[in-house]
Amino acid sequence: MRNTELFERAQITTPGGVNSPVRAFRSVGGTPRFITRAEGPYFWDAEQKRYIDYIGSWGPAIVGHAHPDVVKAVQAAAALGLSFGAPTEGEILMAEEICKLVPSIEQVRLVSSGTEATMSALRLARGATGRDKIIKFEGCYHGHADALLVKAGSGLLTLGNPSSSGVPADFTKHTLVLDYNNTQQLEDTFKAMGDQIACVIVEPVAGNMNLIKATPEFLQTMRRLCTEHGAVLIFDEVMCGFRVALGGAQSLYNIKPDLTALGKVIGGGLPVAAFGGRADLMAHMAPLGGVYQAGTLSGNPVAVAAGLTTLKLIQSAGFYDNLTAQTAKLAQGLTAIAQQANMDFCADSIGGMFGLYFSKEVPTSYTAVMQSNKEQFNRLFHLMLDGGVYLAPSAFEAGFVSAQHDDAIINATLEVARHAFAQLN
Ligand code: HOZ
């Protein structure tokens, strides 16, 4: 069956034909590819066309698609039962592994999606401090909980509306939205109302408004202000955790948040997410404390098997050195090709994440990234897609490289890019 037929059929029973907005190609135009299978760095669509995949399920596929060890672990776990709604040893192993790899996390609670992780972390911060106000940053996306869908990134940007309808103003009246990387604004806000702020939530490496790195000064100031004013610092590492380094962005910036939200990589392709941090804060969670959160599929045994196996694989010697080098090779290669073609284009990378920008300089804020040339990106996207390279279908999403993207794959990608940039001019 063809992608167009599937898309038409999907739209009859599913709003927009997709189960997550950015997949609909609204931003770049054209027909979404319906995927039938994936292996290593590739996936194939319904027309049997093969693509080199640079979204990796939006982050989780860090060891490559359908890694044999992960598939084997999932099969073995599934054979023992799919879900129990009662605790398992696998959950203990998973919690121990996360606490070992991310030292700021003393205790962790497993959930099923990044949205649940950030939403619960937020509730915990409010419950523990007894305060209502929260600070988030423009262009950061923390899942689709009401209080966080204000000036957010990701799919909202592909629809050209950074906030969602259906969210009562009352539910977001305590959400303060500041500019990413604007240290002075953060200082001023804490000066004005520091004693009312429950938490600051931030993507320390933003991946939902394209790739935007926080400056060390911005995060250091945030840490200091939260400590001084008794606010909880939440790092949303759903995307960048275990993506940019083994210990997450916090290990690269050497900053200890009070709470961290994780997802994507820790599920290895199945639905696992988590939030955790200081044990004294986590003690506020039910059944110990008064902050409620629960889930039938939390710590699901099959999903945990995929996650645990992935967490073991990423600890192999040289894993992050190789991932970082391959991603940098891609970003540098694309920049060089664009320069030869005289385009205003640049690329950036960190660990296994990269950003592509049709602008002279790498942007450092939402305002700056919005000024990049979206039309040029859309043309590049389709030229690459035609050439068998699948980039994120939006100028405002980060890209992802896996451990299976070896030199041959990167070179093949650059070859397609050479033709694409030549046609862009
Ligand atoms: N929110 C994800 C990108 N930032 C997209 C999720 C998906 O469509 O799978």
Side-chain angles (χ1 to χ4, degrees):
M1 193 164 280
R2 299 186 60 79
N3 292 306
T4 41
E5 287 169 49
L6 289 169
F7 192 38
E8 276 163 26
R9 197 170 122 208
Q11 289 173 80
I12 298 169
T13 48
T14 303
V18 292
N19 287 304
S20 191
V22 74
R23 300 177 194 177
F25 277 29
R26 285 283 169 112
S27 177
V28 290
T31 306
R33 301 306 189 256
F34 281 69
I35 306 306
T36 52
R37 71 185 175 96
E39 196 183 319
Y42 299 117
F43 60 33
W44 286 260
D45 71 7
E47 296 168 24
Q48 309 311 321
K49 181 170 165 124
R50 190 185 75 178
Y51 300 89
I52 299 175
D53 174 23
Y54 284 105
I55 60 164
S57 183
W58 300 99
I62 193 166
V63 295
H65 288 291
H67 190 288
D69 292 4
V70 179
V71 172
K72 212 163 119 195
V74 166
Q75 285 169 338
L80 297 175
L82 300 181
S83 177
F84 312 128
T88 61
E89 188 185 359
E91 291 160 86
I92 305 174
L93 295 173
M94 183 86 179
E96 287 172 351
E97 206 61 26
I98 291 173
C99 292
K100 179 188 90 183
L101 295 174
V102 187
S104 72
I105 302 184
E106 294 166 354
Q107 286 210 334
V108 64
R109 170 71 50 93
L110 300 184
V111 292
S112 301
S113 72
T115 292
E116 269 188 87
T118 51
M119 180 183 76
S120 309
L122 207 67
R123 185 177 305 140
L124 172 54
R126 283 173 160 159
T129 58
R131 301 173 182 175
D132 290 336
K133 290 203 187 309
I134 62 166
I135 291 178
K136 80 172 283 287
F137 299 95
E138 188 167 28
C140 282
Y141 176 74
H142 306 290
H144 56 90
D146 283 344
L148 293 165
L149 275 187
V150 193
K151 294 195 177 177
S154 192
L156 291 146
L157 295 183
T158 69
L159 303 175
N161 179 9
S163 300
S164 170
S165 60
V167 177
D170 267 2
F171 291 15
T172 56
K173 71 179 181 201
H174 298 300
T175 305
L176 309 169
V177 185
L178 307 185
D179 296 335
Y180 198 74
N181 275 332
N182 188 334
T183 305
Q184 190 56 52
Q185 201 184 40
L186 192 62
E187 295 261 19
D188 295 344
T189 307
F190 266 97
K191 199 169 170 195
M193 53 180 82
D195 59 342
Q196 298 168 52
I197 294 166
C199 67
V200 178
I201 185 165
V202 66
E203 290 181 80
V205 172
N208 288 286
M209 50 173 160
N210 208 326
L211 174 76
I212 309 272
K213 294 173 185 165
T215 64
E217 186 210 2
F218 179 56
L219 295 180
Q220 283 155 8
T221 305
M222 198 179 292
R223 176 63 281 178
R224 175 178 55 77
L225 290 169
C226 283
T227 306
E228 280 173 12
H229 294 269
V232 176
L233 177 58
I234 305 173
F235 271 12
D236 177 352
E237 296 222 39
V238 169
M239 199 175 255
C240 59
F242 300 112
R243 248 293 154 195
V244 298
L246 187 57
Q250 54 195 271
S251 69
L252 291 181
Y253 286 90
N254 195 22
I255 291 179
K256 248 182 154 179
D258 301 303
L259 294 175
T260 301
L262 295 169
K264 299 195 189 273
V265 167
I266 66 164
L270 289 188
V272 183
F275 65 99
R278 278 171 34 204
D280 64 308
L281 282 176
M282 294 303 283
H284 288 270
M285 294 305 302
L288 297 180
V291 179
Y292 198 72
Q293 171 277 330
T296 299
L297 294 173
S298 294
N300 172 272
V302 182
V304 161
L308 254 182
T309 310
T310 303
L311 289 183
K312 297 274 186 225
L313 287 168
I314 61 176
Q315 292 176 63
S316 65
F319 184 92
Y320 282 93
D321 289 344
N322 178 58
L323 187 71
T324 302
Q326 292 306 98
T327 313
K329 219 177 272 176
L330 175 72
Q332 285 158 14
L334 290 172
T335 306
I337 291 166
Q339 270 168 5
Q340 277 162 17
N342 278 323
M343 307 286 308
D344 282 344
F345 173 93
C346 52
D348 197 11
S349 69
I350 177 166
M353 285 172 81
F354 65 90
L356 311 177
Y357 324 90
F358 277 90
S359 56
K360 280 196 168 65
E361 284 166 17
V362 173
T364 56
S365 70
Y366 171 83
T367 311
V369 79
M370 284 299 132
Q371 281 157 11
S372 62
N373 190 328
K374 182 170 168 284
E375 285 67 39
Q376 288 282 44
F377 174 83
N378 291 355
R379 289 182 61 210
L380 177 75
F381 170 81
H382 280 290
L383 289 165
M384 297 294 282
L385 194 68
D386 291 347
V389 174
Y390 193 103
L391 298 172
S394 163
F396 307 118
E397 297 281 359
F400 301 92
V401 168
S402 85
Q404 306 297 326
H405 288 69
D406 59 14
D407 281 347
I409 295 288
I410 301 293
N411 289 337
T413 306
L414 295 178
E415 201 44 46
V416 176
R418 213 161 274 127
H419 290 287
F421 275 103
Q423 287 179 68
L424 273 185
N425 241 336

